Amino acid sequence: MTLQDITSRFILPGPVVYHEEIATGLINTTFAITCRSGKTETRFILQSINSAVFPEPEKVMENIFHVIGHIGTRDSHTEQLCLIPLLDGRSWLKLPDNTVWRCYPFHENTETFEKINSPQLAYRAAAAFGHFQARLADLDPSTLHETIPKFHHTPTYYAKLLAAVEKNPVERLAGAQAEVDFIISQKNLTTLLTDAGLPQRITHNDTKISNILFPTNPNLPPIVIDLDTVMPGLALFDFGDLVRSAASSAAEDEQDLSKVYVDENLRKALTEGYLSTAGDFLTPEELKLLPVAPKVITLELASRFLTDHLLGDTYFKTKYPGHNLVRARNQLALLKSM
Ligand code: GN1
Ligand code: MG
């Protein structure tokens, strides 16, 4: 099936005259497509869901549809989040091979960042993620599917790393032993969030800084994107992952580890921004564990990248050999600075 066959199923303003791949995400395949109608050109995001990562992609779409609908009843800014319907009235296209495609409006005049260095942007991003959680606080978490079981269950990732070490299927262990040993030395961190009896909420679960669109007009609120992992979770997973990605002084795959450390000004701004919108619903137990959450999630990501390296790079997209090992080392450098 060609891209043209796929786009012809959606209600778009005209034929697609141009497309380009956006290769920043680590999981899905994403295109920016341009449709022409008369003299007007309009861009859209067309994306297929990685069914190796999300074995039931339609459940991902049901979650997104449900969450967008719920937010729509509470917030007038719903143009921020919407799905372009298909000609048959559905909201996503399922192909016989289990591939699912969806189409979103392209938000023009916005920017994304792999890293930021502005406390103002950090504050705004964190407030947007907190606001996202707040708007879903009255939706029963059990109404959403757990599309990737135990997605932020850090002890499970720790166990998966040990299994990969044991198996060493592509014989990369020797080059990664120091990183494995360091993660093992941090085992006590793995259970701090999951075993604390914190309340289940609906969370975003992928709050990295590149999943926020910043309008170039600073008076407009940032837009939370990539709702694929919206599902039941802990509020602190989102906060921890946000600090992990947005308070880092360098991109997630910076190789010069002397450049990788947590920027305390950014961390402070993220904490204040998050509490400005989430402070009202967080429990005292959640507030108590807030400072440690970034460490747990950074260790989790280091474990995930290292496991994928040891298993031969089957999960995260890589751009060069050893990319996942670079990411793991980067995350461990970040962890050590926290
Ligand atoms: C993946 O697809 P993307 O790039 O938004 C991953 C996240 C990781 C992130 C690390 C479904 O997110 O959990 O934190 O890479 N998503 C999934 O960059 O595994
Ligand atoms: Mg994602």
Side-chain angles (χ1 to χ4, degrees):
M1 202 172 247
T2 66
L3 212 61
Q4 204 74 38
D5 294 331
I6 291 162
T7 54
S8 70
R9 307 279 294 273
F10 288 86
I11 301 180
L12 294 169
V16 176
V17 291
Y18 188 69
H19 71 264
E20 67 178 319
E21 188 166 352
I22 300 182
T24 47
L26 269 46
I27 304 292
N28 294 323
T29 304
T30 309
F31 298 95
I33 59 170
T34 305
C35 299
R36 185 175 294 153
S37 163
K39 284 186 178 156
T40 309
E41 292 194 340
T42 315
R43 288 201 286 175
F44 295 87
I45 289 290
L46 182 74
Q47 196 176 46
S48 75
I49 300 180
N50 181 334
S51 56
V53 168
F54 297 101
E56 297 181 284
E58 284 196 281
K59 290 196 172 164
V60 172
M61 293 313 299
E62 283 170 18
N63 280 357
I64 294 175
F65 193 76
H66 194 38
V67 160
I68 288 176
H70 187 80
I71 289 177
T73 63
R74 269 150 193 76
D75 201 319
S76 56
H77 290 290
T78 47
E79 76 282 0
Q80 295 188 352
L81 302 158
C82 84
L83 287 159
I84 304 294
L86 278 79
L87 293 165
D88 65 10
R90 291 170 209 250
S91 300
W92 56 89
L93 175 63
K94 164 109 188 276
L95 298 179
D97 68 356
N98 197 32
T99 315
V100 167
W101 289 84
R102 66 283 173 77
C103 186
Y104 296 104
F106 190 106
H107 293 279
E108 301 291 352
N109 307 314
T110 60
E111 293 178 278
T112 56
F113 301 96
E114 293 291 311
K115 73 177 188 83
I116 53 173
N117 50 25
S118 149
Q120 288 76 18
L121 285 191
Y123 184 98
R124 291 172 64 212
F129 279 120
H131 185 51
F132 180 84
Q133 289 182 344
R135 285 181 297 178
L136 295 167
D138 60 345
L139 183 60
D140 178 358
S142 73
T143 60
L144 293 191
H145 307 290
E146 199 182 353
T147 49
I148 301 180
K150 301 193 166 186
F151 185 56
H152 275 300
H153 194 263
T154 316
T156 296
Y157 290 112
Y158 182 81
K160 284 184 177 173
L161 174 65
L162 295 191
V165 166
E166 184 70 29
K167 221 168 158 206
N168 192 17
V170 290
E171 300 194 355
R172 288 180 171 175
L173 180 59
Q177 191 65 55
E179 289 73 21
V180 169
D181 290 345
F182 183 75
I183 291 176
I184 291 174
S185 77
Q186 301 298 306
K187 184 182 179 202
N188 287 347
L189 277 180
T190 60
T191 51
L192 287 186
L193 301 183
T194 49
D195 290 9
L198 302 175
Q200 283 282 316
R201 303 183 181 280
I202 294 175
T203 48
H204 182 280
N205 294 308
D206 189 6
T207 51
K208 61 186 196 182
I209 193 67
S210 57
N211 281 334
I212 284 265
L213 302 180
F214 291 97
T216 44
N217 175 350
N219 298 319
L220 296 175
I223 303 166
V224 171
I225 59 167
D226 189 357
L227 306 190
D228 293 348
T229 48
V230 166
M231 59 179 137
L234 304 184
L236 299 189
F237 294 156
D238 282 359
F239 178 73
D241 206 14
L242 180 64
V243 173
R244 173 192 77 80
S245 92
S248 177
S249 58
E252 194 174 75
D253 58 359
E254 170 61 55
Q255 300 199 28
D256 179 351
L257 299 184
S258 70
K259 292 187 183 151
V260 183
Y261 55 89
V262 72
D263 178 319
E264 289 303 334
N265 286 331
L266 292 175
R267 188 217 285 261
K268 185 165 173 282
L270 291 164
T271 306
E272 288 169 2
Y274 180 64
L275 290 177
S276 75
T277 47
D280 285 348
F281 64 80
L282 294 175
T283 63
E285 290 74 26
E286 287 172 313
L287 289 168
K288 199 174 126 212
L289 285 170
L290 201 65
V292 82
K295 278 187 156 189
V296 178
I297 301 297
T298 305
L299 179 67
E300 177 179 297
L301 261 291
S303 309
R304 292 176 66 194
F305 288 138
L306 196 57
T307 302
D308 202 29
H309 173 71
L310 294 176
L311 295 181
D313 306 319
T314 60
Y315 187 95
F316 296 107
K317 288 184 180 173
T318 53
K319 293 191 173 140
Y320 53 85
H323 200 168
N324 276 315
L325 181 59
V326 164
R327 291 173 178 142
R329 287 182 172 147
N330 174 303
Q331 296 297 292
L332 291 179
L334 186 64
L335 175 64
K336 285 174 189 168
S337 79
M338 284 177 165

